[in-house]
Amino acid sequence: MYLLLAAHQDGAAIQRISPSGKPTSDARPVTKGELPGVVRELELQRPRWVWSRAQDWYPELLARGVELERCHDLALCGSILANSALTAHTEYAKNAEKLVQDDDTTPARALQPPPPPSTQGALFEDIKPVVAGVVELRNEFAAQQAALADVDDADLSKRLQLLLAAESAGAIIAVEMQHAGVPWREELHEQILTEALGPRPPLGHRPPALEALCNELRHMLNSPALNPDSPQDLMRALHRNGIEVKSTRKWELQQSGHPAIQPLLAYKQLSRLHTANGWTWLDTWVRDGRFHPEYVVGGVVSGRWASRGGGALQIPRNIRAAVHAEPGHKLIVADASQLEPRVLVALAQDTKMAEAARDKDLYAGIAAQGFGGDRQKAKVALLGAIYGATTGESGRLMPQLARTYPRAVGFVEQAAREGEAGRTVTTRLGRSSPAPSLGWLRSQQSTTAEEQRRADTIARSRGRFTRNFVVQGSAAEWAACWLAELRRRLRTFRAEGRPSGELVFFLHDEVMVHAADDAVEACVEAIREAADAAKELMFGRIPVEFPVSIAVVDSYDKAK
DNA sequence: AAAGCACGCGCG
DNA sequence: AAAGCGCGCGTGCTTT
């Protein structure tokens, strides 16, 4: 059953609709205050909630203690359907195309783009539903369902439906994880900061350790006014001292043996800790022992999630000790091992590489088959194939890899050719890469030799993008299915009154579950089962393993 | 003074 | 040791 939840005057309206989007009841107006109660009541019928975006409604509902099982996120699904090659022939895609301005690269969207970044601390106050009433949303849903029905190939149609379901589940999970937050022990974080930087300085001042290093650098580089935070300033000072670097990047500085390099690198490292994850970050993003980032589902064209605020997807290793389970609980950190290479194996149906992928360590398997047992070489070669490396060691290893695995390498090469020619590519479940911009197309019609060279560079760059898109995007789909399957199992535990865990973090190919001690075993099992289920949902029964490495730990730094 | 860009570095 | 893909964000610096 589908229940439409739309904006209506100051509150909302709820209407039953059929799978094709026809109303099967009158729209019921509900005030803001009544909404949680009404939705909770209706949820007992296990509907699929159809709404503009999960972000518009679900944070508020969750804050009132209302959890929902499933939804259809019109904005996310619309964006997929408007771009997918599988629905390119439909009215839906053709209408969406008209909405795209022809002078930029904005992806087609059936509804409004996401709201501007909300200011921190206002996660639940600031969000206003998009101005979209019952009729508008119902029509949108009907149009999306019609587009789905227009996909003739039953297999492809099923995949696309799976993608929309997984994406919508992701939207729900993202809001729930945002609500739950990552368990964060502030005093452990502060301890790390104080040990590395000294006591907290007044606002706008360097902490003692940075101050000392800065003075040391000024002295060693004979530059009394040096600001090491200014690349220009720093570069001039280095040059004055005969350190001939072309940039101030860490790896380039490491080439030099000058005695000032060591304190400089130390300064850079500590400065990073202070500015990106120091006391200010802690004040801003951690409340009541939880880090509450905002996840942006569909924030990356490939289908990966992005995040907004607090750098949720970049929790650096050196502060992970502060991510700590609550008393009587554990963190279960699960990681899909070598996900992208395994997805490539499944996509390309490379039986030879599948043999290697039967091993828990895929790189070791590949090393044994084609690289004389050299695991590092095998890894560099394979990642190079997925990213489109042309130079360096990775580039040199490509022919060797192609000889051993013509199908897998051929698959990514084909994706690269498509991109270079200005065509789009499509993931396993049907998410397509954006079409090239008009500017791109224009660049390819160059005449002079100089223009031609530039055009080739741009074309190859797009080829690397599409090459990676199919693999990264399909891997993101696997991860979305994994996450959705895991959530379903955790909810079942709870519904049956058994101990369960809560999803608290997700990062591309990694999930974190916070669970009471007596729930750990079941959660671990659920994580593994969900991974198997995700594989089968996406690829059916294939002889490729998607092993998950799981660490049960007190703190995040102990995982891996 | 605000907005936008380049750099550099964190994560997968 | 970096390279080839995808991101967010703080800082300095330039443009508006």
Side-chain angles (χ1 to χ4, degrees), chain A residues 389-427:
Chain A
T390 52
T391 60
E393 189 189 5
S394 184
R396 284 194 299 280
L397 290 169
M398 280 291 282
Q400 197 175 336
L401 190 75
R403 273 199 303 278
T404 318
Y405 307 107
R407 285 196 67 127
V409 173
F411 185 88
V412 283
E413 289 294 327
Q414 180 59 30
R417 297 291 92 81
E418 299 291 338
E420 285 169 11
R423 293 186 289 268
T424 62
V425 294
T426 300
T427 59

Side-chain angles (χ1 to χ4, degrees), chain A residues 337-350:
Chain A
S337 314
Q338 303 142 355
L339 179 58
E340 292 195 356
R342 289 174 196 278
V343 164
L344 172 57
V345 175
L347 288 173
Q349 304 193 15
D350 188 313

Side-chain angles (χ1 to χ4, degrees), chain A residues 472-484:
Chain A
Q472 185 185 112
S474 300
E477 287 164 353
W478 182 92
C481 291
W482 183 37
L483 208 50

Side-chain angles (χ1 to χ4, degrees), chain A residues 152-168:
Chain A
D152 286 327
D153 185 298
D155 195 34
L156 293 180
S157 169
K158 238 175 113 180
R159 287 192 209 167
L160 198 50
Q161 285 180 55
L162 174 59
L163 175 56
L164 299 190
E167 185 87 344
S168 294

Side-chain angles (χ1 to χ4, degrees), chain A residues 296-343:
Chain A
V296 185
V297 179
V300 184
V301 280
S302 66
R304 276 186 171 183
W305 294 12
S307 73
R308 194 151 50 202
L313 307 187
Q314 314 146 245
I315 300 172
R317 297 202 124 75
N318 56 6
I319 58 163
R320 290 189 180 184
V323 182
H324 201 290
E326 289 167 6
H329 290 66
K330 293 284 186 200
L331 296 174
I332 307 169
V333 183
D335 174 296
S337 314
Q338 303 142 355
L339 179 58
E340 292 195 356
R342 289 174 196 278
V343 164

Side-chain angles (χ1 to χ4, degrees), chain A residues 40 106 128 143 146 184 245 247 251 358 399 401 453 479 486 519 553:
Chain A
R40 189 199 312 270
T106 314
K128 292 190 190 69
W184 205 282
V245 284
S247 74
W251 66 266
R358 220 156 295 157
L401 190 75
R453 270 215 319 278
L486 173 57
V553 294

